[in-house]
């Protein structure tokens, strides 16, 4: 898993570097994911009549990411539409970067691709180095209650322009927390303290 995360991080930095050379810069990757798709030579299309369960679709034949015109209405919490849109585009960007060529050559889809795209999206939108440097991350580690934990998760989510659930999934992916999803309970893992401590030492050196 760590090797895969490293590969996805390198790919993100390559894409953001290409945007930076065109003077398109922002410290929040969510605000660049639309431009990252265009940088790949793909378009983003708004379509009506898409299958009701879909929020986005990677169409390799057209080199297009397709988004339903009623995107907002398809969400359980329409107020999160802007954040979920970032997450959806990052997931579809993953298909562009990881799977589109195979889609074209072999005309097939693999069931493992959705999980890979979810991982890529979390790595793209919530970079580890930025996460470790956030004051809210340190407050999360020091939290004494579930209420405090979630307050800081939501604070981090706001900073990265993603939903709280997406941010908590990124924290779990990186091994900082363990989630009991049904009960919405968060446990901070010991490695999180170690990694943040290491980051602070490296930053101050």
């Amino acid at each position: 898993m760590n090797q895969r995360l490293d590969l996805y991080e390198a790919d993100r930095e390559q894409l953001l570097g290409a945007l930076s050379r065109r003077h398109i810069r922002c410290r929040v990757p969510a605000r660049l994911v639309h431009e990252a798709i265009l940088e790949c030579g793909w378009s983003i299309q708004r379509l009506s009549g898409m299958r009701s369960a879909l929020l986005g679709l990677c169409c390799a034949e057209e080199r297009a990411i397709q988004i339903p015109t009623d995107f907002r209405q398809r969400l359980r919490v329409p107020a999160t539409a802007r954040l979920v849109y970032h997450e959806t585009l990052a997931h579809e960007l993953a298909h562009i970067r990881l799977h589109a060529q195979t889609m074209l050559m072999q005309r097939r889809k693999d069931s493992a691709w959705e999980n890979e795209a979810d991982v890529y999206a979390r790595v793209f939108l919530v970079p580890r180095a930025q996460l470790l440097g956030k004051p809210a991350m340190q407050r999360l580690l020091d939290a004494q209650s579930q209420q405090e934990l979630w307050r800081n998760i939501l604070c981090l989510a706001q900073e990265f322009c993603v939903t709280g659930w997406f941010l908590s999934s990124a924290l779990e992916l990186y091994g900082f927390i363990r989630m009991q999803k049904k009960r919405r309970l968060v446990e901070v893992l010991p490695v999180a303290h170690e990694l943040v401590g290491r980051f602070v030492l490296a930053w101050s050196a």
Side-chain angles (χ1 to χ4, degrees), residues 161-199:
C161 295
V162 297
T163 60
W165 199 251
F166 187 94
L167 194 285
S168 64
S169 296
L171 290 170
E172 190 167 38
L173 173 68
Y174 293 142
F176 298 149
I177 66 170
R178 183 183 295 121
M179 289 277 297
Q180 293 183 35
K181 290 183 172 63
K182 287 185 179 177
R183 299 175 64 195
R184 295 180 64 85
L185 293 178
V186 179
E187 176 192 357
V188 176
L189 300 177
V191 69
H193 295 271
E194 181 186 336
L195 287 171
V196 171
R198 229 186 280 163
F199 176 86

Side-chain angles (χ1 to χ4, degrees), residues 1-203:
M1 174 64 86
N2 283 341
Q3 186 177 12
R4 184 161 52 143
L5 297 186
D6 291 343
L7 287 171
Y8 294 171
E9 286 179 342
D11 191 71
R12 179 196 64 225
E13 293 309 305
Q14 179 187 341
L15 263 177
L16 297 184
L19 291 176
S20 181
R21 288 189 291 276
R22 292 175 47 215
H23 307 288
I24 302 171
R25 302 184 184 97
C26 183
R27 284 191 56 78
V28 181
R31 293 181 178 153
L32 294 175
V33 65
H34 185 282
E35 292 294 336
I37 289 170
L38 301 184
E39 180 67 24
C40 295
W42 286 52
S43 64
I44 298 172
Q45 303 172 344
R46 288 279 190 166
L47 297 181
S48 58
M50 289 179 65
R51 193 152 45 88
S52 61
L54 288 177
L55 293 178
L57 183 68
C58 176
C59 182
E61 292 84 0
E62 296 184 30
R63 293 179 65 82
I65 298 305
Q66 298 172 342
I67 302 292
T69 52
D70 60 346
F71 181 89
R72 183 184 180 89
Q73 288 69 42
R74 295 185 179 209
L75 304 179
R76 283 194 304 172
V77 186
T80 64
R82 181 177 63 92
L83 308 179
V84 178
Y85 182 66
H86 296 155
E87 297 164 11
T88 301
L89 287 188
H91 179 96
E92 301 308 329
L93 174 63
H95 287 313
I96 293 173
R97 303 298 283 179
L98 304 176
H99 310 129
Q101 199 162 2
T102 306
M103 284 182 197
L104 280 173
M105 291 172 62
Q106 300 182 14
R107 303 286 177 176
R108 69 173 181 85
K109 292 186 178 180
D110 190 302
S111 58
W113 288 358
E114 294 307 308
N115 180 62
E116 290 171 1
D118 284 343
V119 171
Y120 183 102
R122 280 150 182 75
V123 170
F124 190 92
L125 296 181
V126 187
R128 268 185 294 191
Q130 285 189 36
L131 187 63
L132 291 170
K134 298 287 186 185
M137 185 66 185
Q138 186 61 60
R139 293 196 300 270
L140 186 151
L141 299 187
D142 296 335
Q144 299 297 309
S145 67
Q146 289 293 309
Q147 185 179 11
E148 273 189 88
L149 282 167
W150 276 107
R151 184 164 59 244
N152 286 292
I153 286 172
L154 293 175
C155 179
L156 287 165
Q158 187 174 28
E159 293 193 60
F160 286 100
C161 295
V162 297
T163 60
W165 199 251
F166 187 94
L167 194 285
S168 64
S169 296
L171 290 170
E172 190 167 38
L173 173 68
Y174 293 142
F176 298 149
I177 66 170
R178 183 183 295 121
M179 289 277 297
Q180 293 183 35
K181 290 183 172 63
K182 287 185 179 177
R183 299 175 64 195
R184 295 180 64 85
L185 293 178
V186 179
E187 176 192 357
V188 176
L189 300 177
V191 69
H193 295 271
E194 181 186 336
L195 287 171
V196 171
R198 229 186 280 163
F199 176 86
V200 170
L201 283 173
W203 184 257

